[in-house]
Amino acid sequence: MIVTIMQPAYLAWPGYYDRIRRSDHLVILDHVDVDLNSKTKFANRNRIRTAQGYTWLTVPLAATNSRRICDLEIAESKWQRKHWNSIYHSYKKTPWFTRYAEQLREFVYEKDHNHLTEVAEATNGLFMSAFGLTQPVSHSSEMNLVSTKADLILEICLKLKASTYLSGPFGREYLSKTEFDRASVQIFFHEYKTPVYEQTFPDFVPNLSAIDLLFNVGGDSLGYLEEGGSLRDT
């Protein structure tokens, strides 16, 4: 069984879903501390296309004593109207807007969400359904885990009896191939480059939220996901 482990992400990018597509089981790593300062972290933000290029949509977080992702509360509700207005004005003329917009608005922007993980789960569920991804999803906060860092990843794999762990490219910096080999778990590293597709505005902008792919490409999105990804064992 191929397992992939990723932190929850609001309006995640296409590479997130290509990793899910290539896996048999997705684990949402939601009990670890959030790192909002890293350029590689997108727990509460992502980008959408605009006529000027792109803009960030960021879910505001309330001050809290806990930095665990599953504990992060949302600061206020005005962000929902702002985000929906930005999405509407950017994508209302796209080919697939009418097919998916109402569902997005209803489940993400018209519901009361108290925690960031609720919003991330809502967008993730919508994207997985739209892309035809049916992999089972587990949450690390419900798995009674005791390890940290690289040992945590291996512990999750062993709990799920994984034969293969599908890591992101940054896993090369902290995962021990020796330890995984000893546990009979093979590691592959997922690389992703957003394939070019027709966007609402001229001059293609890569690495946006998967909402851009969905509204512009719709039913053909899965083929574009497949085109952008590759796996390496080193």
Side-chain angles (χ1 to χ4, degrees):
M1 179 171 68
I2 303 173
V3 169
T4 194
I5 304 169
M6 293 187 284
Q7 293 188 10
Y10 170 60
L11 294 176
W13 76 306
Y16 194 94
Y17 296 99
D18 187 58
R19 267 177 71 181
I20 297 174
R21 182 189 69 80
R22 295 171 182 270
S23 304
D24 300 310
H25 196 117
L26 166 65
V27 176
I28 301 294
L29 193 66
D30 62 348
H31 79 291
V32 298
D33 286 354
V34 69
D35 180 3
L36 297 177
N37 296 317
S38 171
K39 293 181 180 179
T40 65
K41 303 299 180 183
F42 292 88
N44 69 321
R45 63 175 189 159
N46 219 307
R47 305 184 306 162
I48 64 168
R49 189 74 160 90
T50 66
Q52 293 73 38
Y54 64 84
T55 190
W56 287 97
L57 298 184
T58 302
V59 179
L61 300 177
T64 176
N65 291 329
S66 175
R67 290 182 55 83
R68 294 201 316 162
I69 297 174
C70 57
D71 295 331
L72 295 177
E73 296 181 359
I74 298 173
E76 42 84 6
S77 60
K78 293 181 180 179
W79 69 271
Q80 290 175 287
R81 178 179 296 179
K82 293 176 183 177
H83 286 204
W84 173 249
N85 286 340
S86 295
I87 290 169
Y88 177 80
H89 289 296
S90 291
Y91 294 108
K92 61 183 178 180
K93 294 182 180 180
T94 55
W96 293 84
F97 183 78
T98 55
R99 170 65 177 82
Y100 296 106
E102 186 61 28
Q103 187 178 2
L104 179 70
R105 184 167 64 88
E106 179 182 354
F107 288 101
V108 180
Y109 300 107
E110 290 189 345
K111 279 195 173 182
D112 292 330
H113 300 290
N114 296 317
H115 290 83
L116 176 64
T117 49
E118 296 171 15
V119 180
E121 191 163 327
T123 59
N124 188 51
L126 187 149
F127 286 144
M128 286 186 66
S129 176
F131 296 149
L133 303 174
T134 59
Q135 286 83 345
V137 180
S138 299
H139 295 81
S140 66
S141 56
E142 301 172 353
M143 296 178 70
N144 298 315
L145 301 163
V146 297
S147 304
T148 59
K149 299 182 179 179
D151 291 337
L152 170 64
I153 302 302
L154 184 55
E155 181 183 0
I156 293 173
C157 289
L158 294 176
K159 270 185 176 285
L160 295 176
K161 296 180 171 57
S163 59
T164 302
Y165 172 56
L166 183 53
S167 170
F170 296 109
R172 294 185 179 93
E173 299 175 5
Y174 62 88
L175 294 176
S176 169
K177 189 174 186 303
T178 301
E179 292 297 322
F180 275 75
D181 286 344
R182 192 174 295 149
S184 298
V185 179
Q186 189 173 14
I187 302 176
F188 281 96
F189 298 98
H190 178 243
E191 306 279 355
Y192 196 82
K193 181 179 180 181
T194 307
V196 176
Y197 55 89
E198 187 171 347
Q199 292 178 328
T200 319
F201 306 103
D203 299 324
F204 182 76
V205 177
N207 305 329
L208 303 175
S209 163
I211 197 173
D212 189 80
L213 178 67
L214 182 61
F215 281 152
N216 283 293
V217 179
D220 294 327
S221 293
L222 193 59
Y224 280 87
L225 290 179
E226 295 174 358
E227 184 181 337
S230 63
L231 302 182
R232 306 189 191 285
D233 58 3
T234 57

